[in-house]
Amino acid sequence: MAKREIWHEILINASSCELYEAVTDVNKLAHWWTTDVRGESAIGEKLEFWFSGFRAAVMEVTTLKPGELVQWHVIDGGAEDWIDTNVEFRIFCDQGKTLLHFQHSLWQEDAKAFPHCSMGWAIFLLSLKEFVETGKGRPHPYDMPINMWSPPQ
């Protein structure tokens, strides 16, 4: 079966080190994605991302290259379409500008959550940009109210 991927690029007015820290430090992840992040950002360790008491995803940290690259593999969680997908943050610097290439790959062709998650990632990457540039992001539950996905009761 064919695979799909979410791909976004965003220019961020910050150093590659600041951006890298924002996507690897558990406390900083909680300032732009979801306020409930658990675990350790180290190769082979797990990160859990919770949304209003719902454990959406458990990621295994697979690659950490300071100032350049962060990769996670989704191994568990309530967002079943995410399991066995990969999330990547690739950081590039060019002429004093920092560019983030974001990729969420290996989605099944029939994944029902794909369109919603693509929009969600775009919103949270804007939150990441705000956080790194101003010190204040818009993590869940303070994000834009576009969530069409509700956790099981």
Side-chain angles (χ1 to χ4, degrees):
M1 181 176 277
K3 302 289 183 174
R4 300 165 82 183
E5 71 180 32
I6 296 168
W7 179 268
H8 295 293
E9 294 181 348
I10 188 166
L11 186 63
I12 297 179
N13 187 23
S15 73
S16 60
C17 291
E18 291 169 313
L19 182 53
Y20 177 82
E21 285 180 18
V23 297
T24 57
D25 181 292
V26 172
N27 294 320
K28 291 181 180 181
L29 283 161
H31 282 280
W32 65 267
W33 190 8
T34 180
T35 56
D36 192 353
V37 180
R38 306 174 191 181
E40 184 181 347
S41 186
I43 293 177
E45 296 297 326
K46 313 292 184 288
L47 290 168
E48 295 183 9
F49 298 91
W50 292 73
F51 291 78
S52 301
F54 175 71
R55 188 181 71 164
V58 179
M59 316 275 197
E60 180 180 350
V61 179
T62 57
T63 305
L64 294 172
K65 292 183 181 176
E68 294 178 29
L69 180 64
V70 175
Q71 293 175 320
W72 303 326
H73 179 71
V74 184
I75 58 170
D76 197 9
E80 292 180 15
D81 282 346
W82 285 37
I83 296 173
D84 287 327
T85 63
N86 294 325
V87 176
E88 177 179 283
F89 301 88
R90 189 173 295 273
I91 303 166
F92 296 93
C93 293
D94 185 31
Q95 299 176 358
K97 297 178 183 177
T98 303
L99 185 65
L100 175 66
H101 289 220
F102 171 84
Q103 185 177 0
H104 189 167
S105 60
L106 298 180
W107 285 76
Q108 295 298 321
E109 185 69 30
D110 61 350
K112 294 192 181 351
F114 184 85
H116 170 72
C117 290
S118 182
M119 165 108 39
W121 275 122
I123 300 259
F124 286 118
L125 292 173
L126 289 171
S127 174
L128 169 61
K129 176 181 174 68
E130 274 188 83
F131 172 63
V132 175
E133 292 179 354
T134 71
K136 184 166 174 39
R138 296 177 195 209
H140 175 82
Y142 310 107
D143 53 316
M144 291 183 80
I146 57 119
N147 197 350
M148 301 174 291
W149 165 58
S150 26
Q153 301 299 324

